[in-house]
Amino acid sequence: NMFASCNNIETINLIFGNSLTTIYGMFTNCTGLKNVSLGSTAAVTNFYSTFSNCTELKTIEALNMGAATNLSSTFLNCNALERMGVEGSINVSIDLKYSTKLTVETAKNIIKALTNYAGTSNANKYTVYFAEEVLTALDAEGNTAPHGGIWSDYILSLGWNI
């Protein structure tokens, strides 16, 4: 909870070593936070509540969730989140239902990260939640998903629930 409830921080740039494994609650309730760059998060397994209630957060640079075992409440009430750089794969459930402003490009990058995990024996155990507004924006692009149909059908075809 290193920066929890630090409401006056708007932008933060951190560089973590490759051995950091938890950022549990690090920015919880940082209501003024708008931009975050964390450096390498490739070894982080516990993202629980990292950005919960960061209601002004708009951009997260280069987040690697490949080692994550816990993304619970990570993006809870991140209503302003628009962009998130995604590196690697996402191997657990991810909930972005509060992120109504998420760009289509970011949503596609998240789907790509999920696709990297699709087809494995565990793929249908997890869920991805996008805000209705984001799914609508994705599907409004028409039949542009990799399988030639709409994006919500594509997500379902990978074995993920939405």
Side-chain angles (χ1 to χ4, degrees):
N1 299 338
M2 186 182 301
F3 298 99
S5 300
C6 289
N7 297 325
N8 295 324
I9 297 175
E10 288 188 14
T11 299
I12 194 155
N13 296 302
L14 298 174
I15 299 174
F16 295 130
N18 291 333
S19 61
L20 184 69
T21 59
T22 185
I23 55 176
Y24 174 96
M26 185 174 282
F27 302 103
T28 298
N29 298 317
C30 290
T31 56
L33 188 62
K34 294 180 181 175
N35 303 296
V36 174
S37 178
L38 297 178
S40 177
T41 56
V44 175
T45 57
N46 189 355
F47 286 85
Y48 178 79
S49 199
T50 301
F51 303 107
S52 67
N53 299 314
C54 292
T55 55
E56 298 299 317
L57 183 61
K58 292 184 179 193
T59 305
I60 303 170
E61 299 291 335
L63 195 61
N64 186 326
M65 297 173 276
T69 58
N70 188 352
L71 290 175
S72 298
S73 300
T74 300
F75 305 103
L76 179 69
N77 296 322
C78 289
N79 310 42
L81 187 61
E82 296 173 3
R83 291 179 179 79
M84 179 171 44
V86 179
E87 296 179 347
S89 61
I90 299 173
N91 308 321
V92 295
S93 295
I94 183 168
D95 187 349
L96 293 156
K97 70 178 170 250
Y98 298 101
S99 302
T100 59
K101 298 178 181 177
L102 206 63
T103 66
V104 167
E105 186 65 30
T106 295
K108 286 180 183 179
N109 287 337
I110 291 166
I111 294 166
K112 181 180 178 188
L114 298 173
T115 302
N116 291 340
Y117 193 60
T120 68
S121 61
N122 290 324
N124 62 354
K125 293 182 181 178
Y126 304 113
T127 303
V128 57
Y129 290 108
F130 285 117
E132 188 65 34
E133 295 87 341
V134 175
L135 283 174
T136 299
L138 279 168
D139 287 346
E141 292 198 344
N143 295 328
T144 61
H147 75 313
I150 60 173
W151 285 93
S152 56
D153 287 347
Y154 179 65
I155 296 167
L156 291 171
S157 76
L158 298 175
W160 287 71
N161 300 311
I162 56 174

